[in-house]
Amino acid sequence: MSYDVKRIRDRYPALATDTVFLDGAAGTQSPLEVIEAIAGAYRAGTSNGGGRFATSARADAYAAAARQGIADLVGADPLGVVLGPNMTTLTYRFARTLADTWAGGDNIVVSRLDHDANIRPWLQMAARSDVEVRWAEVDLADGTLPVAQYDDLVDDRTRLVAVTAASNVLGTRPDVRAITDLARSRGALSYVDGVHSTAHGVSDVVAYGSDFYATSAYKWVGPHVGAVVADPALLAAMRPDKLASSSDDVPDRFEWGTPSYPNFAGVAAAVDHLAGLDDEATGTRRQRLVTSLTAAQEHEDALAADLLAALDADQRVTVYGRAPRRTSTVYFTVAAFTPAQIAGQLAAAGVNVWDGHNYAYEITAALGIRDSGSAVRVSLDHYSDAGDVARLLQGLADLR
Ligand SMILES: Cc1ncc(COP(=O)(O)O)c(C=O)c1O
């Protein structure tokens, strides 16, 4: 295994500036490969897909390459990769389609840990169909999502269990497999939000046991493209609203309107880049992704451990989220400063961090911090380094 963060950082033009990017959970920077792939697609001439000329064939090839890239990234079948503008839009689309099959007396299970994009669409559809909503609660002491509660929550009238593979604020990685297994055993479908988790470590939809797995390329160095990944046979059994004139094939029937084909070129380039993070990784692209993302996760986890140790040593700091299985995302407050003041002063020092609920709307309320500005979120990504952490800590030491 060989992880050279300096070599990786050199691929990112934005990282050559004086700004410290610790805001990746809201969107990462992109390497030259991605920037060039998108620019190259525009430079070569763009067209809509499905035509008889070369630029149109190229557009179709970009879409196929994006599907294959995401399939390799999450261990799926490319024919089960639905592409769309972002996770939220796709989740509303899937929620509408699935809710068409729900009836009064059914129930769904959502989790308090999730980003609102994997809660609100389900709640709104449930309200329209007179479907009961059941909540999986978080252990507020450590930010874990206890699995045992699902045994009571899921029954043979449960139609859907929505759960995150990682919290975008607390970093918690729930035991997704235990939850999807239970859902399946009681006849419910599972919808797993992989938007935060895909950027941190290896994703494997077979290991997750998810019926649907959602991800967004802009969280893992790609452009603004979202995807929902499912078994093509499951997609074939679903009837989304669609135009009469558009393809009824799977996965195309879920894809509305004309997409950004040049962005699809960027998705494939992002996956290639991730596969090369470990410069000694060998084998198929999937194998290289597994090696590289494992190495990247070790790198991120080491940085997070250093950051958490420093924050723990600071009497002013409260860290939220102490799950044993977590991503490298750190969420905290500093006594005597609001999260907005902290993020503002860090911004003035050239350090980008987010403050606020970050759409983790339910868990920040449950923690009792949403109304006071929630907390500050620091994202450590595969391109982050010890210098970034040092600049952050200096900024926190300088708070006035
Ligand atoms: C965990 C998680 N889920 C869902 C979303 C929504 O993703 P998108 O912006 O692709 O709609 C986000 C975005 O921040 C997220 O972090």
Side-chain angles (χ1 to χ4, degrees):
M1 204 182 274
S2 157
Y3 198 82
D4 179 354
V5 72
K6 163 93 175 63
R7 176 187 69 83
I8 293 164
R9 288 174 69 89
D10 285 347
R11 303 302 301 160
Y12 289 77
L15 299 185
T17 65
D18 196 38
T19 301
V20 174
F21 290 93
L22 297 176
D23 58 337
T28 44
Q29 301 309 306
S30 288
L32 279 167
E33 295 88 318
V34 171
I35 296 166
E36 295 303 338
I38 297 171
Y42 279 112
R43 226 179 268 125
T46 57
S47 289
N48 205 339
R52 302 186 198 286
F53 34 89
T55 45
S56 182
R58 262 205 306 277
D60 290 330
Y62 297 147
R67 275 189 229 291
Q68 186 63 60
I70 291 170
D72 286 352
L73 183 60
V74 305
D77 180 340
L79 292 179
V81 177
V82 176
L83 300 170
N86 52 53
M87 179 274 187
T88 305
T89 306
L90 284 170
T91 301
Y92 267 109
R93 205 172 290 173
F94 275 85
R96 269 179 69 164
T97 307
L98 288 167
D100 282 344
T101 68
W102 299 346
D106 288 343
N107 66 76
I108 62 169
V109 179
V110 293
S111 107
R112 197 76 67 188
L113 185 64
D114 274 72
H115 186 285
D116 213 43
N118 202 27
I119 296 177
R120 213 60 48 184
W122 305 114
L123 263 54
Q124 289 162 357
M125 298 309 148
R128 288 179 201 175
S129 313
D130 203 17
V131 161
E132 182 195 349
V133 176
R134 299 178 177 176
W135 287 90
E137 300 293 347
V138 175
D139 181 338
L140 298 179
D142 62 4
T144 54
L145 185 66
V147 162
Q149 63 186 316
Y150 280 87
D151 196 25
D152 293 330
L153 292 169
V154 183
D155 61 23
D156 61 3
R157 293 300 303 270
T158 306
R159 306 303 308 278
L160 183 99
V161 177
V163 69
T164 192
S167 159
N168 65 315
V169 290
L170 304 186
T172 308
R173 297 180 192 268
D175 185 350
V176 170
R177 182 55 185 257
I179 297 167
T180 61
D181 274 352
L182 189 80
R184 180 160 298 125
S185 74
R186 303 202 175 151
L189 293 170
S190 57
Y191 194 98
V192 174
D193 178 357
V195 173
H196 186 64
S197 65
T198 313
H200 304 283
V202 177
S203 302
D204 185 336
V205 293
V206 177
Y208 281 137
S210 54
D211 291 303
F212 303 96
Y213 180 88
T215 189
S216 258
Y218 75 96
K219 307 286 194 184
W220 36 265
V221 312
H224 287 80
V225 170
V228 170
V229 178
D231 182 339
L234 175 58
L235 296 177
M238 295 174 66
R239 294 266 136 232
D241 284 337
K242 60 176 283 301
L243 303 184
S245 45
S246 68
S247 167
D248 196 33
D249 292 346
V250 164
D252 317 46
R253 76 167 66 144
F254 293 87
E255 297 174 350
W256 292 350
T258 309
S260 165
Y261 288 105
N263 273 356
F264 289 161
V267 170
V271 174
D272 283 336
H273 173 82
L274 294 176
L277 289 180
D278 182 328
D279 52 8
E280 288 176 4
T282 55
T284 64
R285 183 166 60 177
R286 173 69 186 163
Q287 289 166 335
R288 284 181 287 118
L289 281 162
V290 170
T291 305
S292 286
L293 292 171
T294 303
Q297 191 183 337
E298 279 177 21
H299 168 78
E300 293 173 11
D301 287 351
L303 284 180
D306 289 348
L307 174 58
L308 284 166
L311 293 178
D312 284 345
D314 186 335
Q315 301 295 318
R316 306 171 303 164
V317 172
T318 304
V319 173
Y320 295 92
R322 293 285 185 180
R325 295 181 62 251
R326 64 198 307 280
T327 65
S328 49
T329 297
V330 179
Y331 201 50
F332 62 93
T333 51
V334 182
F337 298 96
T338 66
Q341 287 171 332
I342 299 165
Q345 290 197 36
L346 287 172
V351 179
N352 292 4
V353 300
W354 279 93
D355 63 287
H357 55 64
N358 293 292
Y359 286 36
Y361 201 65
E362 294 291 336
I363 186 61
T364 48
L367 286 165
I369 56 175
R370 193 174 76 199
D371 292 341
S372 54
S374 298
V376 173
R377 180 177 69 180
V378 169
S379 312
L380 296 166
D381 283 285
H382 63 263
Y383 52 62
S384 305
D385 68 3
D388 293 342
V389 174
R391 286 270 301 274
L392 168 71
L393 292 173
Q394 188 58 55
L396 294 177
D398 292 344
L399 286 175
R400 292 289 173 268

